[in-house]
Amino acid sequence: LIARRVRELGVYAEILPCDAPAARVAAAHPRGIILSGGPSSIYEAGAPKLDPGVLALGVPVLGICYGLYVLVDALGGKVEGAHAHEYGPATLSVLHARGPMAPMQAGVDEPVWMSHGDRVTALPPGFEVLARSTSCPFAAIEDPARRMWGVQFHPEATHTPRGSAVLGAFLDLCGFSRDWSMSRFVEEAVARIREQVGASGTVLCGLSGGVDSSVAALLVERAVGERLRCVFVDNGLLRQDERAEVERMFAGRLHHEVVVADAAERFLAALAGVTDPEVKRKRIGATFIDVFDEEAHRLGGADFLVQGTLYPDVIESVS
């Protein structure tokens, strides 16, 4: 959600796992880093921690909620379990309207969205308090010399009315022109696909007709044209007229017509008499792989396989 808000504000953002080594973060040439929230308590066993080298990269850093705790803990401050957990709307007392808090007005109470169980009780050297709430004495902090800020509330939540402005102010502090758009992403994605596939590589795509695989197919089609073949597997478990809708949706949009594998009877036979949902899921998955593999061989194989999926799934799979 944070990455989405940043992109909506005209800046390209990538998500990396919390334990990404500093070298990997540096390789992305970041101009700013946001440490996100999370459900953990900073001192519990196995709590996510940050490679200290990330904070030594010299770029602006914004910690949000748990990201605030990570920042404070790494730099010598103190975080404790709060006496009262806070989830929902809260009122922020703004002491100084500067840094990411510049869009807010000093001396004015601002509505925000909170979701936390811990709280900061002592600031690291060099930090000052910008805002507080009833339960959080350090609800927004800054170290302008090191260009580091932290907020207890969630600016990415729509329930924080000035949240986007807070994120925008941080992006401005990073020096962004905020002129990136999704159209630029399409151009960049097509260029990356074309480079990866090369001048002669062939590509096979499992097309379901859903948003993820459809977007992936059209991006690859734009990149490599007739070297893409798409396979739609009719497993007999589709919604009414879904197969016809997918065929109609892609008619004339691709160099090659979508290959439809009519495997309904095969899937239903594999599920006959099965009542356990997990067993059903595994049989459907295994049968799909078999059918898709057969279709791939029938088409002569391919050098690359396209899988369209959600960004969170990519992150979780890597983790």
Side-chain angles (χ1 to χ4, degrees):
L1 184 57
I2 294 170
R4 175 178 175 176
R5 295 285 181 253
V6 169
R7 292 171 189 155
E8 289 172 348
L9 290 166
V11 173
Y12 178 68
E14 289 187 4
I15 304 173
L16 293 181
C18 59
D19 58 356
R24 182 180 174 190
V25 179
H29 305 292
R31 293 174 62 180
I33 295 171
I34 297 177
L35 308 176
S36 78
S40 301
S41 174
I42 189 69
Y43 296 127
E44 70 184 19
K49 293 293 180 76
L50 187 70
D51 182 338
V54 172
L55 298 181
L57 295 177
V59 299
V61 177
L62 173 64
I64 297 175
C65 197
Y66 186 84
L68 164 67
Y69 306 148
V70 169
L71 191 63
V72 168
D73 178 62
L75 297 175
K78 189 173 183 181
V79 180
E80 295 181 354
H83 297 294
H85 289 222
E86 193 171 27
Y87 178 81
T91 300
L92 199 69
S93 297
V94 181
L95 306 178
H96 304 287
R98 59 176 184 253
M101 300 296 290
M104 298 189 177
Q105 187 173 341
V108 175
D109 290 344
E110 295 276 358
V112 296
W113 187 263
M114 294 280 199
S115 177
H116 63 94
D118 294 346
R119 67 175 182 177
V120 177
T121 55
L123 294 180
F127 277 83
E128 300 177 19
V129 60
L130 296 178
R132 59 177 177 239
S133 70
T134 303
S135 62
C136 300
F138 305 110
I141 63 174
E142 74 163 354
D143 181 342
R146 286 185 285 184
R147 297 190 296 170
M148 294 182 180
W149 295 270
V151 294
Q152 181 67 77
F153 61 95
H154 289 270
E156 76 278 14
T158 55
H159 303 292
T160 300
R162 294 184 186 270
S164 288
V166 169
L167 288 174
F170 172 71
L171 297 174
D172 292 341
L173 291 166
C174 296
F176 289 108
S177 57
R178 292 168 65 176
D179 59 357
W180 182 86
S181 67
M182 278 305 296
S183 61
R184 286 184 57 183
F185 171 79
V186 171
E187 295 170 3
E188 293 163 2
V190 169
R192 284 200 301 269
I193 294 167
R194 192 172 288 141
E195 180 181 5
Q196 184 176 1
V197 174
S200 60
T202 55
V203 186
L204 189 67
C205 176
L207 183 65
S208 70
V211 172
D212 303 331
S213 66
S214 297
V215 170
L218 290 172
L219 285 173
V220 177
E221 167 76 13
R222 187 175 297 189
V224 303
E226 62 183 10
R227 289 181 283 141
L228 168 70
R229 298 301 300 267
C230 294
V231 175
F232 176 86
V233 176
D234 184 349
N235 57 17
L237 306 170
L238 306 174
R239 292 167 292 189
Q240 185 174 359
D241 300 326
E242 185 173 0
R243 170 177 168 175
E245 288 175 5
V246 173
E247 290 182 280
R248 186 166 55 250
M249 179 168 62
F250 282 92
R253 293 182 179 273
L254 305 172
H255 279 77
H256 299 286
E257 292 298 315
V258 176
V259 175
V260 177
D262 191 347
E265 292 185 4
R266 187 167 173 178
F267 276 88
L268 295 177
L271 294 172
V274 180
T275 57
D276 184 271
E278 186 64 13
V279 176
K280 287 183 179 180
R281 186 185 69 81
K282 290 181 178 179
R283 290 201 181 184
I284 290 171
T287 305
F288 180 89
I289 291 172
D290 290 342
V291 171
F292 192 82
D293 187 53
E294 291 169 10
E295 290 297 325
H297 280 86
R298 190 176 65 79
L299 292 170
D303 299 310
F304 294 90
L305 173 68
V306 176
Q307 180 183 2
T309 189
L310 295 172
Y311 202 179
D313 286 347
V314 175
I315 300 302
E316 290 168 9
S317 296
V318 171
S319 300

